């Protein structure tokens, strides 16, 4: 087996990078268009879904939630504009540092974070609420792209690259699992998708999948045994409110699989009111919706502006509007795949597809939860749900995708490809395994 060594090599090429000219294209119009459309939908739907957030004592009155949200989208737009001007190679030295900062923030939150919905999820910095889980998602995608590009070999990926990627996902998943099972599953889905795209052999991919399943199985067995002990001692409720969450997951899974009783026949209780009101909102929307601002359920649907905003989108714009939003995210994934398939080097290809997979998979998880295809769990809809950290991280992902679209050589001349190779560190100069 190859030795496990993932320390970066930032050796500079013999020729000064400032003397090498690489081609610069215009930023991808499709990605910019998707971002703008999602922001427009976000402003309209958040205004419709924020009746619970209105502060009439504010000078802005009913517009206070949307003004704050619009300001965050404006900051995100500025981030994208700045990042698209930066050559993607300049992100490389920052990837391990970003990972370390993300892990440090997550560890801090585990012990000292603010408790939200029964789990420690965030902390405040200069009056700004920071959710480290969003940083971990981004750093995991970047780390896998970096490691996989460094470990390319003829016919696949070296063993140390596969092991390193899997270990990072498992460590990050362990840090996230107390906040909710969905984030851990999301990380695993992102990593497996990137491994497939990065050219990892199917046998190695199967082993990684089995390891993930074994880790989840061990965790569930441990949690179940711990829950039985808590129930015997009468401590389950107290533990759930602090850090256990195992009872919450068990209850949600039991409700999801249920006893076969149709949803419309189930009684609305405290445990299921979010999902039940969500289904009512979607049913009320029908095919064409009730038009934005006419939502019936937004006033009583908890977290309508964040974890359940897709239900309000369907109520306002109907089944047609829900499909349009789904198509926008799938369009982003398709466009990123098109860019990746034509990059000459592995790193930019894996970087752009990693950012797209992170955004799109999170959107798909959100939609699956809201529509009842997946057990209930908190997951924002990227760029549309209210949430400062989520908007900023998603904007960084868009900015990185646009940077690759501008600076990566795609079906270029031999001299352009040579120049691109010369400006990259030696360990990330591998050919693109996805190039068509």
């Amino acid at each position: 087996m190859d030795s496990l060594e993932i320390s970066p090599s930032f050796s500079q090429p013999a020729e000064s990078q400032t003397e090498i000219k690489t081609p610069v294209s215009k930023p991808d119009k499709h990605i910019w268009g998707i971002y703008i459309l999602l922001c427009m939908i976000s402003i309209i739907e958040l205004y419709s879904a924020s009746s619970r957030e209105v502060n009439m004592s504010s000078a802005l009155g009913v517009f206070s939630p949307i003004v704050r949200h619009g300001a965050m989208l404006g900051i995100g737009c500025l981030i994208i504009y700045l990042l698209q001007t930066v050559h993607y190679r300049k992100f490389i030295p920052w990837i391990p540092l970003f990972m370390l900062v993300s892990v440090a923030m997550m560890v801090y939150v585990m012990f000292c974070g603010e408790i939200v919905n029964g789990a420690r999820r965030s902390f405040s910095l200069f009056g700004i609420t920071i959710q480290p889980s969003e940083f971990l998602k981004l750093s995991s995608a970047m780390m896998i792209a970096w490691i996989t590009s460094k470990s390319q070999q003829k016919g696949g990926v070296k063993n140390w690259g596969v092991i390193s990627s899997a270990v990072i996902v498992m460590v990050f998943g362990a840090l996230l699992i107390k906040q909710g099972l969905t984030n851990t599953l999301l990380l695993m889905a992102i990593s497996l998708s990137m491994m497939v795209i990065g050219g990892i052999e199917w046998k190695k991919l199967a082993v990684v999948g089995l390891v993930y399943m074994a880790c989840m199985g061990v965790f569930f067995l441990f949690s179940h045994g711990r829950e039985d002990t808590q129930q015997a001692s009468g401590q389950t409720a107290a533990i759930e409110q602090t850090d256990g969450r195992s009872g919450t997951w068990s209850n949600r899974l039991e409700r999801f699989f249920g006893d076969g009783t149709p949803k419309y026949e189930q009684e609305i209780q405290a445990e299921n009111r979010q999902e039940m009101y969500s289904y009512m909102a979607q049913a009320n929307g029908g095919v064409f919706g009730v038009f934005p601002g006419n939502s019936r359920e937004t006033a009583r649907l908890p977290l309508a502006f964040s974890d359940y905003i897709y239900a309000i989108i369907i109520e306002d714009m109907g089944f047609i509007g829900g499909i349009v939003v789904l198509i926008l995210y799938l369009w982003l994934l398709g466009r990123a795949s098109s860019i990746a398939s034509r990059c000459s080097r592995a790193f930019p290809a894996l970087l752009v597809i990693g950012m797209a997979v992170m955004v799109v998979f999170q959107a798909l998880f959100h939609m699956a939860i809201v529509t009842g295809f997946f057990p209930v769990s908190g997951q924002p809809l990227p760029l549309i749900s209210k949430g400062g950290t989520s908007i900023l991280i998603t904007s960084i992902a868009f900015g990185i995708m646009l940077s690759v679209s501008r600076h990566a050589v795609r079906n270029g001349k031999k001299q352009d490809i040579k120049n691109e190779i010369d400006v990259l560190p030696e360990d990330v100069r591998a050919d693109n395994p996805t190039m068509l």
Side-chain angles (χ1 to χ4, degrees), residues 81-156:
Y81 178 78
L82 294 176
L83 288 179
Q84 73 169 8
T85 63
V86 179
H87 195 289
Y88 69 85
R89 75 174 186 273
K90 295 184 179 179
F91 300 137
I92 298 175
W94 296 96
I95 291 176
L97 178 61
F98 189 85
M99 180 196 70
L100 292 175
V101 172
S102 301
V103 171
M105 289 193 300
M106 194 67 228
V107 172
Y108 174 79
V109 163
M110 289 176 65
F111 297 98
C112 306
E114 300 170 0
I115 297 178
V116 179
N117 295 330
R120 298 187 185 275
R121 302 178 186 274
S122 62
F123 67 94
S124 297
L125 181 65
F126 304 116
I128 301 174
T129 301
I130 306 294
Q131 289 187 315
S133 60
E134 299 297 322
F135 286 83
L136 279 184
K137 296 172 190 175
L138 180 62
S139 62
S140 66
M142 291 194 297
M143 282 295 296
I144 294 172
W146 180 49
I147 291 172
T148 306
S149 63
K150 283 165 59 74
S151 57
Q152 289 289 316
Q153 65 179 1
K154 187 176 180 179

Side-chain angles (χ1 to χ4, degrees), residues 344-366:
S344 65
R345 302 297 97 195
F347 177 70
L350 293 171
L351 188 62
V352 69
I353 201 66
M355 297 300 99
V357 164
M358 182 197 75
V359 174
V360 175
F361 274 27
Q362 182 167 328
L364 294 178
F365 270 55
H366 173 97

Side-chain angles (χ1 to χ4, degrees), residues 322-333:
I323 291 296
V324 168
V325 172
L326 172 62
I327 289 174
L328 285 176
Y329 287 108
L330 296 179
W331 182 12
L332 175 65
L333 182 60

